[in-house]
Amino acid sequence: MDVLRELKDAGSTGKLIFGQKESQGSCLDGKAKLVVFSMNCPEEYVNELSAKYSGITMYRVNVVNRELGAVCGKPFPVSAVAVVDAGRSKLFSLKSNL
């Protein structure tokens, strides 16, 4: 599966939440079903989130935050994306890779 293509599809047909604070809040609210991290997302943040919310799939992509932001159609770097609704994408079939 091309995760970046699926993420782009989810951005246009589903609901994504961008940013570390917003993604963490989405996990806390129980809305996030998947969190995607950039390659250069701070390791402490990734470890904290995956330990605190073990029931949510955590997936790290092999692109830096600038590229992840561009894939999501944002003009700014994005290091964490919470997927609330995958839309037509197949993102919810991903398994954690941390």
Side-chain angles (χ1 to χ4, degrees):
M1 169 190 326
D2 183 350
V3 176
L4 297 178
R5 177 178 289 154
E6 295 295 325
L7 197 57
K8 190 173 187 177
D9 191 29
S12 60
T13 62
K15 179 171 169 81
L16 304 177
I17 296 174
F18 303 98
Q20 291 181 22
K21 288 180 186 174
E22 291 81 359
S23 293
Q24 189 168 13
S26 178
C27 290
L28 182 65
D29 295 344
K31 294 179 182 176
K33 295 176 181 76
L34 165 71
V35 180
V36 178
F37 304 102
S38 68
M39 184 171 49
N40 61 338
C41 186
E43 200 63 41
E44 337 49 86
Y45 173 77
V46 174
N47 292 338
E48 177 188 336
L49 223 61
S50 58
K52 207 179 232 185
Y53 305 103
S54 58
I56 299 174
T57 304
M58 305 285 172
Y59 193 87
R60 189 184 292 269
V61 291
N62 201 25
V63 295
V64 295
N65 57 357
R66 288 185 311 275
E67 293 174 64
L68 186 55
V71 165
C72 295
K74 300 298 176 191
F76 49 83
V78 173
S79 59
V81 179
V83 182
V84 175
D85 176 9
R88 290 188 315 239
S89 76
K90 298 174 187 137
L91 285 174
F92 289 156
S93 66
L94 286 174
K95 304 289 182 227
S96 290
N97 69 350
L98 303 181

